[in-house]
Amino acid sequence: MIRTLFEIPIPYTGITIPIYAYGFMLMVGFLVVVFVARIKAKAEGINPEDISNLGIYTIFAGILGGRTFYVVQNFDAYKHNILDIFKIYEGGLVFYGGLAASIAAIIVYSKIKKLPVLKTIDIVAYAFALGVVFGRIGCFLNGCCWGDVCSPYLLWAVTFPKSVDATSLIDGSPAFLHHLGLGLVSVSDSRSLPIHPTQIYSALGNLSIFFIINALFKHRRRYGEITLLFCVLYSVMRFIVEIFRDDNPLLFDGLTISQNASILVFAVSVTLFVIGRVKLKGQKRLS
């Protein structure tokens, strides 16, 4: 866990500006998405500059949607500390909230700029999977989205350290605080129990999704299919990863909110994909 990558000193003031790992990796992920999407847009006959401009609106919409979903899901932790809602650099974005807000932003922007909506969303979805990889690495460095306790003999098991603030009060990591609250560790312990590195599971899962989509992109039969394919693959991957996570409470039918959302997204995406293919039966051109 490396929450602060480095600090930038301000000359003659004695003040330094911390560069947080989570925010830095989100920025890297955003730049990767824009770079890859620009290349794909040019190949698809869309002005890359429109993709760059779209990226700015999409990132703000995604952060707003993801944070809103997270705060609603964990409202008890914020109802007495409203200002903590704005501490995004500490982590706390729910993917599905960000996805919904991002899609809305893409649709609105595409309509305003008279871009082909489904084609544009496909281009962004193609690059988005790769960008999420860097976001999940940021989660790992930040210590959020931690996994469930596992066997210490699991070769890839990880532990997160106890950290203290300037007054020597324990302020992290999230996994350590969680285990401390459950009585699994004591204040004298220096690290959490061994847990699944679910952030890395997610990163590898999204990297796999990117390569699958990249291989199937040229075989799409209808604009919008790449987006639906991404949603199908992501929902399956996210449902499985949630089994090994320990930061989300079980709410409905013994499943987390994200697992319930994954089931819904999977069902809707598969249905729309099949309906689209049935309508194109006998046609060979992309439409």
Side-chain angles (χ1 to χ4, degrees), residues 2 42 66-67 84 134-136 143 173 190 199 205 233 282 285:
I2 308 175
K42 186 175 182 180
R67 187 61 171 178
D84 285 353
F134 293 91
R136 287 307 182 187
S173 62
S190 61
Q199 309 94 329
L233 294 174
R285 65 181 181 85

Side-chain angles (χ1 to χ4, degrees), residues 24-222:
F24 181 81
M25 293 309 298
L26 283 182
M27 180 188 70
V28 172
F30 167 71
L31 293 176
V32 168
V33 170
V34 172
F35 177 76
V36 174
R38 281 175 61 92
I39 295 175
K40 181 61 70 174
K42 186 175 182 180
E44 292 292 311
I46 292 180
N47 186 354
E49 293 304 317
D50 284 325
I51 295 298
S52 296
N53 294 332
L54 172 60
I56 296 175
Y57 295 107
T58 302
I59 188 64
F60 282 112
I63 291 175
L64 179 61
R67 187 61 171 178
T68 299
F69 202 109
Y70 180 83
V71 171
V72 171
Q73 182 174 310
N74 301 277
F75 184 70
D76 287 341
Y78 292 97
K79 61 183 179 183
H80 300 303
N81 303 282
I82 299 300
L83 293 180
D84 285 353
I85 291 175
F86 302 100
K87 294 182 179 179
I88 298 177
Y89 55 84
E90 293 183 351
L93 298 175
V94 174
F95 178 83
Y96 284 120
L99 178 64
S102 296
I103 290 177
I106 295 171
I107 292 174
V108 172
Y109 182 87
S110 299
K111 291 288 187 181
I112 293 175
K113 292 295 184 177
K114 295 181 172 55
L115 299 174
V117 176
L118 294 180
K119 191 175 183 180
T120 302
I121 294 178
D122 274 352
I123 291 171
V124 175
Y126 165 80
F128 191 64
L130 190 58
V132 177
V133 173
F134 293 91
R136 287 307 182 187
I137 293 174
C139 290
F140 183 73
L141 294 174
N142 186 55
C144 58
C145 306
W146 66 92
D148 202 354
V149 175
C150 66
S151 168
Y153 300 106
L154 186 68
L155 293 179
W156 52 86
V158 296
T159 60
F160 285 92
K162 174 181 68 177
S163 63
V164 296
D165 61 18
T167 62
S168 297
L169 291 176
I170 300 174
D171 65 350
S173 62
F176 182 87
L177 289 177
H178 181 63
H179 293 171
L180 183 63
L182 295 175
L184 301 177
V185 297
S186 67
V187 293
S188 62
D189 291 320
S190 61
R191 305 188 71 87
S192 72
L193 295 179
I195 58 177
H196 287 280
T198 46
Q199 309 94 329
I200 303 303
Y201 294 170
S202 293
L204 294 175
N206 279 283
L207 185 61
S208 300
I209 290 173
F210 171 75
F211 284 119
I212 292 172
I213 289 178
N214 182 60
L216 296 179
F217 199 96
K218 62 183 178 181
H219 298 293
R220 70 196 192 282
R221 294 280 309 283
R222 191 184 186 98

Side-chain angles (χ1 to χ4, degrees), residues 2-25:
I2 308 175
R3 280 188 163 179
T4 303
L5 289 178
F6 53 88
E7 296 186 355
I8 302 176
I10 301 178
Y12 311 112
T13 65
I15 299 174
T16 59
I17 301 176
I19 303 300
Y20 295 105
Y22 184 74
F24 181 81
M25 293 309 298

Side-chain angles (χ1 to χ4, degrees), residues 239 249-260 263:
F239 187 95
L250 301 178
L251 295 177
F252 307 114
D253 299 323
L255 302 176
T256 66
I257 286 181
S258 292
Q259 284 180 315
N260 280 277
I263 293 173

